[in-house]
Amino acid sequence: MSYCWGAGSCGQLGLGEAAAGGPVRCRRGPGAGGGRTLLEAACGERHTLLLRPDGTVCSCGGNARGQLGRRLRPGQRPPARSYTPEQIQALEAQIIVHVSCGKEHSLAVCNKGKVFSWGAGSEGQLGTGEFKKQSLIPKKIDGLSALRIIQVTCGHYHSVALAQDGRVFSWGQNTHGQLGLGKETPSQPSPQHVTSLNGIPLAQVAAGGGHTFALSLSGVVYGWGRNNARQLGLNHANTREQVFKPYAVAALKTIGVVYISCGDEHTAVLTQDGSVFTFGDDSAGQLGHRSSTQMPGPQKVEWIDGPVSHLACGSYHTLVYMSTSRQIISFGRGPQRHIENGTASNPGEQIQNFDISSLVSANDLSGVQVKMIFAGTYVNFVSTLQSQDLEHAHGLSSTDTLPKISRLDRTLIDKWLAVTTGTDEFQEAKREIALIFSSSACLSASFLKPSSALEANCIGVDLQKARDVFDELTKKEWIVNQINCYLLADLIPGLPLRSPHHEALSIFLLLPECSVMYKEPNSEPFVMRLAQAINTMSDRSSNILEECWSSLSASFLDKVVQMFKKAVVSQLPYYAFPRYQDTKPLLEVLEKLYRANRKANYTLQLSNFYIDEISGTFILSNDVWRWRSWQVTASAKAEAQCILTQNEWLRKSELPALPVFPLLVKRSNLVEDTLRKLSLVEDSVLKKQLLVQFEGELMGLDAGGVTLEFFLYVFEEMVNPQYGMFVYCDPASPMWFPTSSSVEKKKYFLFGILCGLSLFNRIIAFIPFPLAIFKKLLDKKPSLEDLKELSPVVGKSLQAVLDYEWDDIEENLQIHYCVSWDNKEVDLIPDGSSIAVNNKNKKDFVKKYVDYVFNKSVEVVYEEFKRGFYKVLDREILRFFQPQELMEVAIGNANYDWNKFEQNAVYWGMYTPSHPTIKMFWKVFHELTVADKKGFLLFLTGSDRIPVMGMDCIKIKFNAHVSMSEDHIPEAQTCFHILILPQYSTIEKLREKLLLAINNNRGFGKN
């Protein structure tokens, strides 16, 4: 049984010609082709489709564009209208399960998921591949034939379909962006994939006159298309009249939307608790807001008394039904259109201005069980439950009739685990696995959290449930094989890499929980391809994924980290082969994970990211060379050094062929001579192994000692305040660039080259820069904490300003936007000396102060330094470092562990740990002051700093010399950390000679 009401002047009520003369109050509906049972109705502007339970479709109403789908005999003209429903014969071979109408076009979906279209097609809304004025007979849309469509919806001149695998397709007019394909896309005559919605588990698609919505299973609403009347529900600040791609409607995100319906220029949504929110055009009262002042954005229809179960929008009115009270309510009127020049838009038809809501009363349907409600421009329909369905009446709503995308559930899992191979059920199970594990949307839909759980966490999927289900499924080998196949062939290649939506990216959290990713044969292709996909994501998507990672608990985040680490380890045996380049994507993902971990305040310890197996596979320093593809071997370097030595003996000035960068400098004028020669060197030479020689001194193979000494003396002179390149806030603070330099700008460029050469050649040279310089080199902003390091007095003062909570800050502190730095008074903003710092602007003041010190005041000289630094070093290498790590690699650290220093000692020749001289040495050493211990490190290694890998990297090697007596002082071979220690008879003698060596024996090669 069905009911209907409205003004069917074209016969769209299907009640016969007599009922077309004027408005019809609520009454029983038409016979729908031989029976009164109605499954579904769809209403265009002047035509109606009626779907019967047996899958046949009848049509009635206007037929100006062939929208009734009537088959004609040869020579017969299509009827202008039909006042009674007649079956569409072209569809009689199909079992139709869903129908939808646009303004003058029609769509039908059969039980096999195929879509048929007919009617007006000049805008491409039929999807047949051509802009055809009209099509009288329903035709299958070939562009969707490979898909199983579960929902279709029509706007005035466009159409949208939702497939069972979660993909959305649109076609037709795109004047207002209603196809969701982007601004540059014209109207489309064939279905196009709306890629912006990829990966989102959708529950519904809905279309209005020129706007479109998609609703996710989590209740997120995405809108696009025309927004002239604010029918998309965007916030008040977003005044765009057209939106060309799906946009998440923030105002609807937290209210629990479960159903959407659209009118011509208005929208209504139904929430989980039975509330109705409306927005858009209210010129006909269709929003139901009884206030004379219209509020922007979605507003609740407050006066509806009771939870709403059913919702439908006509073009200019809204219809709701409450199953608990069996009341139906309509608000809004019919079309209020002006007749131009005395004629209607369709000649011969009188457009009626009438109040459609007055044709039904709240209790008109109190005696029947309503199944669904349908609203059109001029007419409304209601379907009712049959006697056999009455037991399911309670709780029925608009959402219950929506077909759902495929997803895993308990029933499916049990069915798959119990199926017998070779049976029809087995083949069906394989098809089901193929569908779900080929689709990001379906897989994510399988593990969605309840909507209430989403508010506290951006992770929308239940990872523990996914882990348990995947473990259960992979007990069956045939299921594993099927999952493997479709993950690799379809799901991973189709991952949403450019989606701005959190929901779409949930799949990247689910895949690491899938245990097939960890099975040995699968690890490489799965994880490698996943890494490649992650690295090709748009910046916005990548940032969202990192945000999701940072929200994970330690156990889930660590599982992702360990998955990619394991893949890296699996690639290590191929280190020397070209295929090893495949490891780079894995390492780049680990870098992103590390960044996410840092944002989460280190949920995981840094050690979780260390790959210990690397140290046993290759030497890091050699790998840097390999990474640069230079393939320089130790023998090539040695050969070049030998040629240099031979040429010196033969008094030849010829230099060996590079791979080395030979630098011959004068010790007497070291800094200036070095800078002069660096200014003449070609850029490519800087990236070679540095080989330093002092003029007039013995030349030989440099194992590192001469180069180390060179940097020690050069930096010592250049960072001295007397040299004039750098300033110190106080004697114990780090150095910084001056606001006005007393030396030429070029020297900062050359100093940058020297710092780059030092780092490139693995020299730990103490350059007293603060951490801020390494932040800037890595494009990270220095903070107030960095200013505290550079100038503790200023930093603590600014912290005190931030911490000041009383209202008398202006009177008590008397601070203005004018500061003193490097003996200069500077306004941080125009006329800053007259603008006082208060509680409202103090954060801005501190921010500008820090910015001035680290950026604006030193911009010119810093940029010169940076330019020189990166002349030598490659950003691609340095970007793997954190500022603190880069600082320790460059200048070492002061994390001394003198006990470990002793434990790591190596003894040669006559010396052993129990030798008397060795025992005396360690007793004397541990009694030295910290300054003298650091002096000994400088004497032994050429640096008093500790390498980034710690004291384990410094192994002192004791050796004796047969010709040395106790009158000799100890000697050091800094290249190899060898201490040549004479045998001393007393501890006093050893202490005396050791201190003498520490204080006076600094030059390389000197006794």
Side-chain angles (χ1 to χ4, degrees), residues 813-870:
L813 299 186
Q814 296 187 1
I815 302 173
H816 295 78
Y817 273 80
C818 180
V819 300
S820 176
W821 182 260
D822 196 15
N823 300 316
K824 286 185 178 180
E825 296 289 327
V826 180
D827 282 352
L828 296 179
I829 57 176
D831 197 26
S833 58
S834 62
I835 300 176
V837 175
N838 53 43
N839 279 325
K840 290 183 179 179
N841 64 20
K842 63 185 181 181
K843 289 184 179 179
D844 177 68
F845 167 72
V846 171
K847 181 180 178 181
K848 283 184 166 59
Y849 201 146
V850 171
D851 182 57
Y852 175 77
V853 170
F854 288 117
N855 300 314
K856 291 184 177 179
S857 67
V858 298
E859 184 175 4
V860 174
V861 290
Y862 167 74
E863 287 300 324
E864 283 297 298
F865 166 80
K866 179 181 177 181
R867 186 166 67 91
F869 187 76
Y870 281 119

Side-chain angles (χ1 to χ4, degrees), residues 567-619:
V568 172
V569 172
S570 72
Q571 295 293 303
L572 293 181
Y574 312 107
Y575 166 68
F577 299 94
R579 67 167 287 185
Y580 191 70
Q581 295 177 3
D582 293 343
T583 309
K584 186 179 179 183
L586 299 169
L587 296 173
E588 288 174 338
V589 173
L590 283 170
E591 180 191 16
K592 293 175 187 285
L593 285 161
Y594 177 83
R595 208 158 48 224
N597 187 55
R598 188 177 72 245
K599 289 178 184 175
N601 292 321
Y602 297 97
T603 300
L604 300 179
Q605 295 182 358
L606 292 183
S607 58
N608 289 59
F609 291 86
Y610 296 157
I611 304 175
D612 297 328
E613 292 84 354
I614 286 180
S615 60
T617 305
F618 56 85
I619 300 170

Side-chain angles (χ1 to χ4, degrees), residues 228-243:
N228 62 307
R230 305 297 175 260
Q231 59 263 52
L232 294 183
L234 306 183
N235 62 47
H236 187 57
N238 193 334
T239 57
R240 289 182 291 173
E241 293 204 354
Q242 295 172 328
V243 177

Side-chain angles (χ1 to χ4, degrees), residues 484 487-488 492 516-517 522-530:
N484 288 349
L487 287 183
L488 276 177
I492 293 179
V516 300
M517 304 282 283
N522 304 330
S523 176
E524 182 179 335
F526 277 117
V527 183
M528 187 65 69
R529 293 187 193 184
L530 180 58

